[in-house]
Amino acid sequence: MRLTAFLILALVAANIYANPPSLSATITDPIWNGRQIPSGQQCNKFGGTGATPPLSISQIPAGANAIVMEYSDRTYQPMDHGGHGKIGFRIQSGTSTVAIPSVKGHTFDLPEDFFLIEAQKAPSWDKEGAYLPPCSGGKGNEYYVTIKAVSESNGGIRKILSEVELPLGQY
């Protein structure tokens, strides 16, 4: 009986550590509904002055000291997996919930507590900067953000602790 109880506890513990709880994330500006990119939030090339949506992140795991946002176009492979920019936001270790403000597109001038991981990959298509707002010209491309709670040191990611993906919408 004791061996069975020990095995059950070992399996439960292994599952907990193999599948850490996901972050919880929401966009806090109601103009972002996850279905359509809001008017004006596209790139300069198509008449917009886009910025990242403000986010509320909760269920941040212990040990995280930064949140990473990777902005992507799922429809266009060269701009998927963070092609629209990868931006970090420093948090105090032990923080479980944080509000992340919006970041303007087409600039490298990031607000306090933000840091650049990788600039957007198509500066010749529109305008260079840390973040390129949706820029497909209204072809229905699907945009999303992958949000990661990480352990970070001097701008280098040591470990991804948890992540979640949010749809931004189609443009």
Side-chain angles (χ1 to χ4, degrees):
M1 183 68 160
R2 286 186 183 177
L3 181 59
T4 303
F6 175 77
L7 288 174
I8 290 171
L9 286 173
L11 289 171
V12 168
N15 189 43
I16 289 170
Y17 292 109
N19 300 306
S22 291
L23 291 174
S24 179
T26 57
I27 297 172
T28 59
D29 186 336
I31 69 167
W32 291 86
N33 63 21
R35 294 183 303 277
Q36 288 295 124
I37 298 298
S39 179
Q41 293 303 315
Q42 69 274 15
C43 65
N44 287 347
K45 185 172 188 165
F46 296 105
T49 57
T52 65
L55 302 168
S56 176
I57 313 295
S58 59
Q59 294 178 247
I60 299 170
N65 62 1
I67 302 294
V68 171
M69 286 91 32
E70 299 177 352
Y71 296 93
S72 305
D73 177 347
R74 186 181 321 281
T75 312
Y76 185 59
Q77 185 60 35
M79 296 301 282
D80 202 2
H81 307 290
H84 279 257
K86 296 179 183 181
I87 302 169
F89 183 78
R90 288 188 179 85
I91 60 172
Q92 292 291 323
S93 190
T95 299
S96 62
T97 302
V98 67
I100 299 179
S102 183
V103 172
K104 292 180 183 180
H106 309 103
T107 184
F108 289 107
D109 186 20
L110 298 175
E112 186 175 350
D113 294 327
F114 284 91
F115 59 99
L116 179 64
I117 297 170
E118 187 177 326
Q120 59 97 348
K121 295 179 181 177
S124 62
W125 175 249
D126 186 38
K127 184 179 176 188
E128 66 181 9
Y131 168 68
L132 175 65
C135 207
S136 62
K139 296 179 182 175
N141 289 23
E142 296 177 25
Y143 294 89
Y144 69 101
V145 58
T146 303
I147 303 161
K148 300 176 181 182
V150 302
S151 170
E152 172 279 320
S153 176
N154 298 323
I157 306 304
R158 291 190 306 222
K159 185 174 182 183
I160 299 170
L161 302 172
S162 188
E163 66 183 82
V164 66
E165 182 179 294
L166 282 179
L168 298 178
Q170 290 186 326
Y171 172 66

